[in-house]
Amino acid sequence: MIESWGDFLLSLSLPAELMVAAALYFARCPRRNRFFIRLLPGGILALLLPIWVLGLWNVLLPGAWQSQMAYSLIYSFAAYFAVAGLTLLCFRLPLREAFYGATCAYLTQHLAYCFHRLLFPQALNDTLDSYSLGYLLVYGLVYLVAYYAFARHLLTGREYLVKGAYSLATTVSALSVALVLSAVAQELRTVDGTLYPVCLLYAIACCSFVLWIQVNQKRRLDDQRRLDAQEQLWLQHKAQYEMATENVELINRKCHDLKHQIAALRSISDQGQRDKSIQELEQSVMIYDSMVETGNGVLDTVLTEKSLLCEQRGITLTCVADGACLSFMDAVDIYALFGNALDNAIEAVSALEDEELRTIAVTVFARADLVFLQMENYYGGTLKGEGALPETTKAQEPGYHGFGLKSIRYTAEKYGGFLTVQTEDNIFLLRVTIPRYQS
């Protein structure tokens, strides 16, 4: 029970230590608007909440204060949930990620706590004198090692890519280890002081092992994602090969038609008929004059390749593009971005029965320090949302749905940009906005 000003300050130590540990795991996560306005009152509330919970517990069940284990468990649980709530208040994270990070922060704080109690036995007195320079050095060193060994490896970009079931399992198992061991240690300290250091060493080993498992699990997930990405690239290369084969067949067909048309011209004596045949011949060779020139060789290549495919499928592809403004982008990224976008558009309009709706418009331009890439086409049916992106309508290879749009978004974010998708009146509008880097 809090009986003095010193006891009050000591009761703030755990939530304060947890908030510092949480900063290691959430510092790079996306912040909510008015972050510092949220942080100040939220931090004060997180500091005081464990004290209020203990006070309420004392009023409702005063006899429970006779058990040191009950005191420790209630206090630790209240501090943990207070910091998890502060995280949700200040950062744009799903519930599972907030509690997952808060659990890792609690394990880190408990590591530091055990090391401090082990290296400085006088801290067992639970007085303000125990929180001296040694306290700061131990906590600072443990937090620093934990950041470089664990925290900085767990984030993927600015988020924790953990599923709800895994986050729940990690939280329950880790808290069971840390909280129960902490409560047992507090009980042993008053009953048998010789077992207390052993319990601290066991807690250090358990917390370190659980955090190490998280890092290894993250690395396994990263390896699996890389394998999935390679498989996706293989599927894309396969599709590109099939597309190239279709283009070759189209060219062979056109060449065959040209030979017959040229042979027919030799036998035509009527001037009107000859002019008509020449006009048809000019239309036939228009495909070879469809080489797009935008000022960017890579963009010219992908647009020309897709225009051949559109010609074969009766699709009108229009392009107004300033390719020079893409000079700062890597050639592979340009090909992947426009290739995926055009493949999606071609697939969508190919399914339309109305030939007049089989049109695709591509626009690329720069304004100030931004580059805008826009692709517009009609589509049939209804698109379902998957986060910020619509789900794929492909019936084949269901394990790889939506990879094209995700790849486009990844490429945009790689250059500090973003992808937006708008669907209205069966018109699909894809926009990519990227900051323009000056060479």
Side-chain angles (χ1 to χ4, degrees), residues 220-247:
R220 285 194 293 269
L221 290 175
D222 287 342
D223 291 340
Q224 184 60 49
R225 276 190 284 271
R226 279 192 288 268
L227 289 175
D228 292 342
Q230 290 177 0
E231 190 168 359
Q232 294 292 349
L233 290 175
W234 182 85
L235 290 172
Q236 285 188 352
H237 292 157
K238 176 185 175 183
Q240 290 171 0
Y241 169 75
E242 294 173 350
M243 196 177 302
T245 302
E246 292 182 7
N247 291 337

Side-chain angles (χ1 to χ4, degrees), residues 22-29 87 91 93 97-102 105 160:
L24 304 178
Y25 292 90
F26 294 108
R28 291 187 292 154
C29 294
T87 300
F91 296 94
L93 291 172
E97 295 184 24
F99 277 93
Y100 177 78
Y160 292 101

Side-chain angles (χ1 to χ4, degrees), residues 95-134:
L95 190 66
R96 64 180 185 277
E97 295 184 24
F99 277 93
Y100 177 78
T103 301
C104 294
Y106 189 90
L107 292 172
T108 302
Q109 181 277 333
H110 196 63
L111 265 178
Y113 169 83
C114 292
F115 271 112
H116 178 243
R117 293 300 174 100
L118 195 63
L119 296 175
F120 295 90
Q122 67 272 21
L124 298 178
N125 299 325
D126 285 328
T127 61
L128 288 177
D129 295 338
S130 304
Y131 296 84
S132 58
L133 180 61

Side-chain angles (χ1 to χ4, degrees), residues 63-72 187:
W65 286 108
Q66 298 175 1
S67 171
Q68 183 66 28
M69 183 177 292
Y71 170 85
S72 179
E187 193 74 17

